[in-house]
Amino acid sequence: SPTNKLEVGYIQIHSSSVLLFIFLNSNKLKKALVFLFFFSDLISVITANSVDPDTIFANNEMSLRDIEIYGFDYDYTLAFYSSHLHTLIFNIARDILVTNHRYPEGLRKYEYIPSFAVRGLHYDVQKALLMKIDAFHYIQLGTVYRGLHPVPDEEVIAMYEGCHVPLEIMSDFYGKSSHGHTMKQFMDIFSLPEMTLLSCVNDFFMRHNIDYEPVHLYKDVKEAIRDVHVKGIMYRAVEADIEKYICYGEQSHAVLKKLSAQGKKMFLITNSPFDFVDRGMNFIVGKDWRDLFDVVIVQADKPSFFNDRRKPFRRVTDKGVLLWDRIHRLEKGQIYKQGNLYEFLRLTGWRGSKVLYFGDHIYSDLADLTLKHGWRTGAIIPELRKEIKIMNTPEYVHMMTWLQSLTGLIEQMQVHRDPTSRAVVEEWIKEREAMKPHTKDIFNAQFGSLFRTYHNPTYFSRRLSRFADIYMASISCLLNYDFQHTFFPRRTPLQHEASYWPEHGSAGLGASSPAPQDQSRV
């Protein structure tokens, strides 16, 4: 209409593309212009550069030609477990609470909820709140749960006097709540049943108006979960029905065979007991599995293994008998218990960046190795496969592309102060805020993605990028690469840097080191 106020502006989005848009009173028309000039073209570019879930991603440049020794954790690194295991852990720990700690019988009605929690969440022990925190210690509103129900944002802000969690009450270096730290971070995959059980017990007490001490509840659940492992209940159950609980064994076997064929040295350091590991590795590899490894260490007690110099190695017989002789060398075919990394380094000479160690626990498996000893580290993140598949869907691509477009429009046009322009920008801000919950729910209805809050990286992502040189969905991703391959992290521009190169995968969705069959994308 000739009576409508016109104002012309420019915004640079996606490399050198320039989008011309017109401020009119009709926000729908402006959005249509955005789609017409930009959106559909960008969608096709991003879709064509979808991410391969079998890619290995790099935080730090690393070449496999420099790696001579490969080390592995066992659980969720060589042995991958089915969802039945989490149900088993939950049920046993729940029953321990009722039987040993005299918790109400009504708790037995609660079942494990596989889709409830995600790894990397923080738990406020004193307030009995489960939440997701970003890399800057800010709580992601909408992800704070008391029991099985969300806490209103206003209540969260009132309790914490905002959204920021001070450093002094955050979890300690290993994610534990100790020495005044009131937050516990759940970092390993085995913690999913623990988070769910905590939430279920909290839910029961609140539903029945039972007064309870949150600190006691946390400690009791922690002890019940520990008993499932330490007392061997879980181990015996898995050994009795190995095919029900272990999956993808042939892929781990293929990786070990490939490394052995290339003459690489290999070792295993796990916290699990020998009988359990032996039963699992017999299933995954065969009875000769020990022939593949130069050193096997069980019940290592990580992360203490990497720091405590006092514990010597002790040899274990095939029957599980502990021998008392002093260990002067670590021999192939033998099984060793406990020990410490300093003695391991002295006896093997395997030091520095020629060693690559894989594990699923960012703190217990990887942190000390990269910070104190200079080993290269690889994180196994099974959740990657599911999240990447979601990221590759048209729904997610459309949603994130429009969200980024809105953000760019708001950033560029907020300088216009006339009433009409301000009204339009306010509409865009409201639409952007309304979209945020959808970017969370598409991954997990309660807590969203393991790797991001609405926009910032999660606290989990921050630790992953610091302690892991590379990360991948499973150890089988190594099968896609030869031993001359170099993994390069993307050179993502810092906030003050210009973007000189189009990133792999355009809008930040591309892989940092695609599998060789996909390198035409780079």
Side-chain angles (χ1 to χ4, degrees):
S1 168
T3 59
N4 282 339
K5 179 179 178 180
L6 279 179
E7 191 169 302
V8 178
Y10 297 89
I11 181 170
Q12 184 171 338
I13 303 178
H14 182 53
S15 188
S16 60
S17 300
V18 176
L19 168 66
L20 171 67
F21 65 90
I22 302 174
F23 263 152
L24 296 174
N25 287 336
S26 170
N27 197 35
K28 290 184 179 179
L29 178 56
K30 283 185 286 296
K31 185 182 288 189
L33 286 169
V34 172
F35 272 96
L36 178 64
F37 287 104
F38 164 69
F39 192 72
S40 59
D41 177 62
L42 183 56
I43 288 290
S44 62
V45 172
I46 296 174
T47 304
N49 288 276
S50 59
V51 180
D52 181 357
D54 289 319
T55 297
I56 293 178
F57 303 90
N59 292 319
N60 190 21
E61 184 175 329
M62 189 192 79
S63 177
L64 291 181
R65 69 169 61 92
D66 299 326
I67 306 300
E68 301 173 10
I69 305 112
Y70 288 77
F72 301 91
D73 182 28
Y74 176 69
D75 297 302
Y76 286 107
T77 300
L78 293 177
F80 284 84
Y81 298 103
S82 69
S83 59
H84 298 295
L85 184 61
H86 289 169
T87 301
L88 174 74
I89 295 171
F90 178 92
N91 290 342
I92 296 172
R94 177 202 60 201
D95 293 345
I96 289 174
L97 285 179
V98 175
T99 304
N100 298 359
H101 297 272
R102 300 194 299 175
Y103 276 65
E105 280 287 336
L107 285 174
R108 296 189 194 271
K109 295 181 180 179
Y110 283 86
E111 301 290 340
Y112 179 61
I113 310 169
S115 60
F116 178 69
V118 299
R119 196 155 48 125
L121 299 179
H122 279 80
Y123 184 76
D124 190 321
V125 174
Q126 295 181 342
K127 295 182 174 66
L129 297 176
L130 189 64
M131 68 190 74
K132 190 164 75 170
I133 296 177
D134 73 11
F136 301 95
H137 294 196
Y138 281 89
I139 299 167
Q140 180 181 355
L141 294 177
T143 69
V144 181
Y145 274 70
R146 180 184 289 116
L148 299 173
H149 300 280
V151 179
D153 294 347
E154 300 79 15
E155 187 177 341
V156 174
I157 293 170
M159 281 190 290
Y160 291 95
E161 299 180 347
C163 296
H164 185 260
V165 180
L167 179 64
E168 60 266 21
I169 71 170
M170 284 290 287
S171 53
D172 68 9
F173 181 80
Y174 294 107
K176 298 179 181 179
S177 58
S178 60
H179 307 297
H181 300 276
T182 61
M183 290 280 191
K184 154 75 177 179
Q185 189 180 19
F186 292 100
M187 290 296 279
D188 71 333
I189 304 172
F190 280 130
S191 65
L192 292 171
E194 183 175 356
M195 286 186 276
T196 307
L197 184 57
L198 274 169
S199 299
C200 287
V201 179
N202 277 309
D203 181 74
F204 179 88
F205 285 155
M206 290 187 297
R207 283 180 179 273
H208 294 84
N209 296 314
I210 298 174
D211 190 24
Y212 69 102
E213 173 52 60
V215 175
H216 297 333
L217 168 60
Y218 167 74
K219 290 181 178 178
D220 289 345
V221 170
K222 179 182 177 181
E223 183 177 329
I225 292 288
R226 185 195 63 194
D227 286 348
V228 175
H229 295 269
V230 173
K231 294 186 177 180
I233 305 171
M234 182 195 79
Y235 300 134
R236 289 192 294 271
V238 173
E239 289 176 41
D241 196 353
I242 201 85
E243 293 185 4
K244 178 180 179 179
Y245 293 107
I246 291 185
C247 47
Y248 311 125
E250 67 281 358
Q251 297 178 7
S252 296
H253 187 194
V255 171
L256 296 175
K257 285 177 61 179
K258 180 179 179 180
L259 291 170
S260 178
Q262 292 291 321
K264 303 295 182 180
K265 293 186 180 297
M266 291 184 283
F267 63 93
L268 177 67
I269 302 178
T270 175
N271 286 349
S272 293
F274 171 67
D275 288 345
F276 180 69
V277 174
D278 186 51
R279 182 77 174 89
M281 290 301 290
N282 281 338
F283 177 75
I284 293 169
V285 176
K287 292 185 177 181
D288 59 347
W289 68 270
R290 286 155 63 179
D291 294 341
L292 294 172
F293 292 93
D294 294 271
V295 179
V296 176
I297 300 166
V298 298
Q299 293 178 276
D301 193 26
K302 296 177 292 182
S304 295
F305 178 87
F306 300 126
N307 297 291
D308 190 346
R309 298 172 181 261
R310 296 171 297 177
K311 294 180 180 179
F313 285 108
R314 193 163 190 179
R315 195 151 58 90
V316 185
T317 70
D318 291 347
K319 302 293 185 181
V321 177
L322 293 173
L323 303 181
W324 47 262
D325 55 317
R326 186 189 296 271
I327 304 300
H328 294 283
R329 61 181 180 274
L330 299 176
E331 300 176 359
K332 187 170 185 175
Q334 300 296 324
I335 304 297
Y336 301 93
K337 178 183 176 181
Q338 294 182 342
N340 65 83
L341 184 65
Y342 297 93
E343 190 70 1
F344 179 89
L345 296 176
R346 185 183 71 81
L347 294 173
T348 64
W350 296 344
R351 300 176 181 274
S353 57
K354 66 182 180 181
V355 184
L356 172 59
Y357 184 79
F358 293 96
D360 68 289
H361 198 302
I362 296 172
Y363 296 149
S364 295
D365 288 325
L366 309 181
D368 289 309
L369 292 177
T370 188
L371 292 177
K372 298 179 180 179
H373 302 286
W375 284 12
R376 310 311 293 264
T377 52
I380 305 300
I381 314 291
E383 299 93 336
L384 261 177
R385 187 162 274 115
K386 176 186 174 183
E387 293 217 4
I388 289 173
K389 288 179 179 178
I390 292 172
M391 288 167 50
N392 286 340
T393 61
E395 177 187 3
Y396 181 83
V397 172
H398 279 74
M399 178 170 58
M400 291 307 301
T401 305
W402 178 240
L403 182 63
Q404 289 298 93
S405 301
L406 274 176
T407 303
L409 289 168
I410 293 166
E411 183 180 18
Q412 294 291 327
M413 300 314 300
Q414 62 185 328
V415 297
H416 296 276
R417 299 301 180 186
D418 62 278
T420 304
S421 301
R422 290 178 64 182
V424 171
V425 172
E426 284 300 319
E427 285 185 48
W428 284 340
I429 291 173
K430 290 178 182 178
E431 182 175 358
R432 182 176 181 267
E433 289 300 310
M435 289 181 68
K436 283 183 176 181
H438 300 295
T439 66
K440 171 180 76 73
D441 295 346
I442 197 170
F443 292 102
N444 175 280
Q446 292 74 233
F447 302 102
S449 168
L450 174 64
F451 302 96
R452 280 199 183 274
T453 55
Y454 294 129
H455 183 74
N456 289 337
T458 59
Y459 195 83
F460 178 93
S461 288
R462 177 185 178 185
R463 309 302 263 181
L464 174 65
S465 64
R466 178 64 186 91
F467 299 142
D469 291 294
I470 56 176
Y471 64 100
M472 65 207 75
S474 73
I475 205 73
S476 64
C477 297
L478 279 172
L479 297 172
N480 298 321
Y481 301 85
D482 63 36
F483 292 102
Q484 301 300 310
H485 192 89
T486 299
F487 298 101
F488 296 99
R490 286 200 303 266
R491 183 182 171 87
T492 305
L494 300 175
Q495 296 300 312
H496 66 279
E497 293 179 326
S499 181
Y500 298 108
W501 290 87
E503 294 298 326
H504 303 176
S506 298
L509 291 176
S512 62
S513 192
Q517 61 266 32
D518 298 318
Q519 290 196 1
S520 58
R521 302 202 321 258
V522 180

